[in-house]
Amino acid sequence: MNSVNAAPSLANPAEKEAPLLEVDHLEVQFFTRRGTVQAVRQVSFSIERGETLGVVGESGSGKSVMAQTLLGLTELPGRITGGDVRWKGESLVHDASATLARVRGNEIAMIFQDPMTSLNPVFTIGTQISEVLRRHLGHTRKQALVRAAELLDLVGIANAAARVKQYPHELSGGMRQRVLIAMALACEPELLVADEPTTALDVTIQAQILDLIGDLQRELSLTVLLITHDLGVVAGLCNRVAVMYSGKLVELASADDLYANPAHPYSAGLLRSTPRLDVVMPRLVSIEGTPPDMISPPPGCPFAARCDLAVTECLEEMPGLHTYPDGRKVACWRAFEVGRG
């Protein structure tokens, strides 16, 4: 995918509706023998209808746990310990069993990371897509198989009528990922959650999958939440970017603002470690150090131990997520000082 393409613009900003999805101070913890892992800590953001929001951060930052929690997929030893998730104003956390049963799959769908482990190896592709259609939409077996072939054709799989009879191991990695996208689109959801949809794929197939998601977003008027660890992936797809570190949201900004002028030192570090076509770099720059142990996170900013700008206040007190005049939100005592230290 060509990362220099402009991200799709939203409709007239003056006519904005209420957010489609609201995440309000969400907290998720995992209870283990070693102690309680604080996987998601006080995360708040919203997604507007028709928007594509990218969530970035290194492995272990809480991106996937947060995404799965939106659909009620976090199970013991994990548990939501605080906050709320609201879909069109309706809570998906409090007394949510009936709401989740109606919304999950029908209105919110998810593309999981690894298609080989997400697809059942003993059932054909057609059977697995048909199950979604029969369970949620009441299709007969014959209707579901016909629709399954149509969905495979929609996501760019050639000879779809024959592919529905094949098993996952008979398809390439890119084709299996397309099958997962077809399953996610089966009930024509309004929000598509894509959790690292290009993991373990080569760069050519990655580009094809990302282009496909972008095309489907425009053609079907989808709202997309894209989870990734790669800032380069979101450059041409996303309207806004949320940066997560150690379970916390540290920066939320428009894609243009984040790339032009990152306000949080961690955001700047991610950008410096991303290869660019327009800049000659003798070597990639890594972020020194390692993330903190989330069983006993530090009292201050979790990035302070790796940050060149850190002062005593950073080590002792966690900054709140402050909204700045340009609209972005940053959790940093020395926001916008990147490059001055």
Side-chain angles (χ1 to χ4, degrees), residues 42-319:
Q42 293 283 315
V43 169
S44 298
F45 64 88
S46 62
I47 304 177
E48 308 293 338
R49 187 180 299 274
E51 179 182 28
T52 301
L53 174 68
V55 181
V56 300
E58 59 194 287
S59 297
S61 61
K63 308 182 303 297
S64 294
V65 172
M66 180 273 295
Q68 292 175 16
T69 302
L70 302 182
L71 287 169
L73 299 178
T74 299
E75 299 179 341
L76 289 174
R79 189 167 64 197
I80 298 174
T81 56
D84 198 4
V85 178
R86 292 185 291 273
W87 173 251
K88 300 178 181 177
E90 194 171 8
S91 176
L92 299 181
V93 172
H94 305 293
D95 301 321
S97 297
T99 305
L100 275 172
R102 186 190 78 247
V103 168
R104 187 165 53 202
N106 290 315
E107 299 178 34
I108 307 176
M110 188 167 186
I111 306 171
F112 294 93
Q113 286 190 31
D114 187 350
M116 200 60 208
T117 58
S118 299
L119 295 170
N120 193 321
V122 302
F123 291 105
T124 64
I125 297 302
T127 299
Q128 296 184 63
I129 299 177
S130 295
E131 182 182 4
V132 178
L133 296 163
R134 296 176 69 181
R135 178 181 294 270
H136 289 281
L137 302 181
H139 283 23
T140 65
R141 184 176 183 276
K142 183 176 180 180
Q143 290 173 330
L145 285 173
V146 171
R147 180 56 178 159
E150 293 174 352
L151 288 165
L152 291 182
D153 183 64
L154 175 67
V155 297
I157 293 182
N159 198 14
R163 296 295 186 187
V164 294
K165 302 175 184 178
Q166 293 186 307
Y167 292 86
H169 72 271
E170 298 180 87
L171 305 181
S172 67
M175 292 177 70
R176 289 193 293 264
Q177 193 63 275
R178 289 173 187 265
V179 169
L180 285 186
I181 296 173
M183 293 176 68
L185 296 176
C187 298
E188 301 181 7
E190 296 177 64
L191 173 63
L192 182 65
V193 180
D195 184 10
E196 306 229 24
T198 59
T199 297
L201 300 178
D202 64 58
V203 291
T204 302
I205 304 302
Q206 283 185 26
Q208 294 175 4
I209 295 299
L210 292 170
D211 283 342
L212 173 63
I213 292 174
D215 291 342
L216 292 171
Q217 194 267 345
R218 289 185 289 271
E219 293 172 14
L220 305 178
S221 300
L222 288 171
T223 303
V224 178
L225 177 63
L226 178 64
I227 312 293
T228 181
H229 63 273
D230 186 351
L231 271 169
V233 164
V234 304
L237 277 179
C238 298
N239 306 104
R240 291 188 300 147
V241 184
V243 182
M244 287 188 67
Y245 184 78
S246 295
K248 295 194 72 72
L249 187 63
V250 297
E251 184 165 3
L252 178 63
S254 72
D256 289 342
D257 287 343
L258 184 79
Y259 280 79
N261 182 28
H264 196 283
Y266 178 62
S267 304
L270 286 180
L271 284 170
R272 285 195 299 268
S273 65
T274 302
R276 295 179 55 177
L277 295 177
D278 58 338
V279 176
V280 177
M281 302 175 67
R283 59 178 297 175
L284 295 180
V285 180
S286 63
I287 302 175
E288 297 295 331
T290 58
D293 183 353
M294 296 314 296
I295 290 179
S296 54
C301 174
F303 189 64
R306 306 172 70 183
C307 180
D308 295 335
L309 299 178
V311 293
T312 301
E313 188 176 25
C314 303
L315 298 170
E316 296 177 348
E317 184 179 355
M318 178 65 205

